[in-house]
Amino acid sequence: MAKRSVPSINASSMADISFLLLVFFLVTTSMAVNKGLIRKLPPPLDKDQPIDTQIKIKERDVFVVLINSQNQLMVEGKQISVKDLRSKTKEFITNEYNDPNLPIVSTVNVPLIGQINITKDHVISLQNDRGTDYQSYLEVQNELVAAYNELRDELAKQKFGKYFNELDEASQLAVLKVYPQKISEAEPKNYGGD
Amino acid sequence: MAKIRKKGEKVVPEISTASLPDIIFMLLFFFMATTSMKEVSYMVKFTVPEATELQKLEKKTLVRHIYVGKPIANLVKLHGTESRIQIDDEFADVNQVEELITLERESMNEVDKPKLIVSIKADKETKMGVITDIKQELRKAYALKISYAATQRQ
């Protein structure tokens, strides 16, 4: 008896087709990456807390950053552009040359790092208007954070030969002790303007 | 002779690839099922600002979102063109934020509660007044860890 073979449909291209589909879905579904500038808010003020018992901070220790409703930036009484903010901030935080107008430098002993000059009491005060654009505000925040990050990286490179986020936890803590982030945001006020 | 040779030719086995498409389809379905689509339908339109010093929000379960922007085109008639706040699937008033975030936190795991991160996804043209109000509300709700959503600047 002669067997008649039923011609089978060639299914080898089926795999290719489904691969194509797979790739298409992989490309189009955006893996919504949640990225952002992480900040900490101060806890709410106590209602009973009298306002005038604020801690006294010396003027030279404060770095005042103001943004007005026209998105203009004023730092320490002078109008500057956002591009210059980072270097200005770094200059303020380190005070390398012991400038009497910049924060007080004191020598401290930090574990793993040793003797180092830091400005213990410096504070960056950021104030914005209600009319400031979010983008400008975030840019300023970004520059301030970037200044800290660069300083930390520089120190980490100098002392450990690695970038800050490559360090182990103990060394990271040591670096953080030298450069803790001190960005304070003023209680909101309405300065007027548009 | 000829008969023997014919027999020999027939023996060559062919690997069946019939199951390959099924395997790939399984992969496809796996990916389609696991990749989450966006969680909410946006009622505000926003383009987040650009920045460079960004950190990834690692655990999705710890993050709650607040969207700020102008209402989308077909809601303009109802809600105007002022910047609005969206939490979950609804518009929220500024003074509701504290309550809503507290509720969100209540629904979280006991262990995760202190680790709550609120991600503010706001349009870059939003005025800071709205953002400041939200921040004040978050302080009241003791949701102190926040993240300003942004895209990486090249």
Side-chain angles (χ1 to χ4, degrees):
Chain A
M1 221 166 74
K3 249 196 210 165
R4 269 226 187 124
S5 61
V6 180
S8 64
I9 300 166
N10 187 1
S12 59
S13 58
M14 192 68 156
D16 299 320
I17 295 166
S18 33
F19 251 127
L20 218 74
L21 265 174
L22 179 64
V23 171
F24 172 75
F25 269 97
L26 276 181
V27 171
T28 50
T29 47
S30 60
M31 289 275 210
V33 269
N34 276 320
K35 277 184 160 186
L37 203 68
I38 294 179
R39 311 282 320 135
K40 269 243 165 88
L41 294 174
L45 284 182
D46 229 333
K47 268 183 194 133
D48 316 319
Q49 186 184 332
I51 301 164
D52 42 73
T53 56
Q54 283 166 343
I55 315 150
K56 283 268 184 286
I57 302 171
K58 290 201 186 77
E59 204 179 316
R60 62 182 280 195
D61 281 334
V62 191
F63 189 64
V64 185
V65 181
L66 300 162
I67 325 168
N68 74 359
S69 56
Q70 264 79 48
N71 305 324
Q72 287 158 324
L73 188 65
M74 188 163 91
V75 173
E76 297 280 72
K78 270 184 231 133
Q79 192 183 339
I80 64 163
S81 103
V82 187
K83 282 177 225 140
D84 305 326
L85 181 61
R86 195 182 300 192
S87 54
K88 274 254 179 204
T89 313
K90 280 168 78 175
E91 205 182 296
F92 171 83
I93 299 168
T94 52
N95 191 10
E96 271 175 291
Y97 307 112
N98 215 343
D99 192 317
N101 294 320
L102 296 178
I104 302 160
V105 180
S106 47
T107 311
V108 287
N109 197 4
V110 179
L112 289 170
I113 290 177
Q115 300 279 335
I116 191 161
N117 289 335
I118 60 167
T119 54
K120 235 184 352 206
D121 298 320
H122 79 263
V123 174
I124 295 174
S125 162
L126 174 62
Q127 281 174 46
N128 62 276
D129 192 85
R130 289 187 69 89
T132 311
D133 273 347
Y134 184 50
Q135 168 80 56
S136 331
Y137 169 79
L138 207 66
E139 250 164 47
V140 170
Q141 280 263 16
N142 187 54
E143 289 306 305
L144 295 179
V145 175
Y148 276 107
N149 286 350
E150 273 181 20
L151 284 173
R152 284 172 188 172
D153 267 345
E154 276 165 25
L155 185 70
K157 268 267 172 209
Q158 193 194 335
K159 297 283 173 188
F160 305 103
K162 286 185 203 160
Y163 285 113
F164 176 70
N165 46 16
E166 290 165 350
L167 295 177
D168 58 273
E169 212 170 308
S171 331
Q172 277 196 347
L173 273 179
V175 175
L176 283 181
K177 230 186 194 144
V178 178
Y179 294 124
Q181 233 176 57
K182 287 187 183 170
I183 303 173
S184 131
E185 287 185 63
E187 292 292 313
K189 280 177 223 160
N190 198 352
Y191 292 100
D194 189 33
Chain B
M1 268 301 264
K3 209 180 175 186
I4 293 166
R5 250 178 70 198
K6 214 180 181 184
K7 231 183 186 175
E9 256 179 337
K10 252 192 187 168
V11 170
V12 179
E14 213 175 292
I15 302 166
S16 163
T17 53
S19 56
L20 202 59
D22 301 317
I23 296 166
I24 307 297
F25 264 120
M26 222 155 77
L27 259 178
L28 179 64
F29 285 132
F30 172 76
F31 274 101
M32 280 173 64
T34 51
T35 48
S36 58
M37 297 282 166
K38 61 173 195 245
E39 313 86 41
V40 291
S41 51
Y42 299 136
M43 294 155 77
V44 291
K45 53 174 184 241
F46 60 89
T47 346
V48 291
E50 291 176 343
T52 53
E53 309 298 312
L54 300 180
Q55 284 167 284
K56 249 192 186 157
L57 299 178
E58 299 292 350
K59 279 201 173 163
K60 264 193 180 168
T61 46
L62 301 180
V63 182
R64 293 294 178 273
H65 299 280
I66 295 178
Y67 308 95
V68 185
K70 299 195 164 76
I72 52 170
N74 47 2
L75 289 173
V76 165
K77 254 191 189 160
L78 220 65
H79 296 280
T81 52
E82 279 292 300
S83 284
R84 295 295 301 262
I85 304 162
Q86 184 193 349
I87 296 177
D88 285 334
D89 271 321
E90 274 169 61
F91 282 127
D93 257 354
V94 175
N95 44 28
Q96 285 177 293
V97 173
E98 182 192 352
E99 193 192 331
L100 286 169
I101 292 295
T102 313
L103 275 178
E104 290 274 1
R105 185 164 44 200
E106 286 307 307
S107 67
M108 285 170 82
N109 241 335
E110 199 62 50
V111 199
D112 292 339
K113 272 180 195 172
K115 296 183 198 156
L116 170 76
I117 300 175
V118 177
S119 168
I120 300 177
K121 291 192 171 180
D123 190 78
K124 54 184 178 189
E125 276 160 31
T126 317
K127 296 286 172 211
M128 276 308 291
V130 188
I131 311 281
T132 309
D133 290 343
I134 294 172
K135 273 158 65 185
Q136 290 303 313
E137 288 290 312
L138 291 178
R139 281 174 70 183
K140 274 194 237 157
Y142 277 92
L144 301 180
K145 214 168 173 194
I146 60 167
S147 154
Y148 301 108
T151 49
Q152 191 76 39
R153 184 187 293 144
Q154 297 307 322

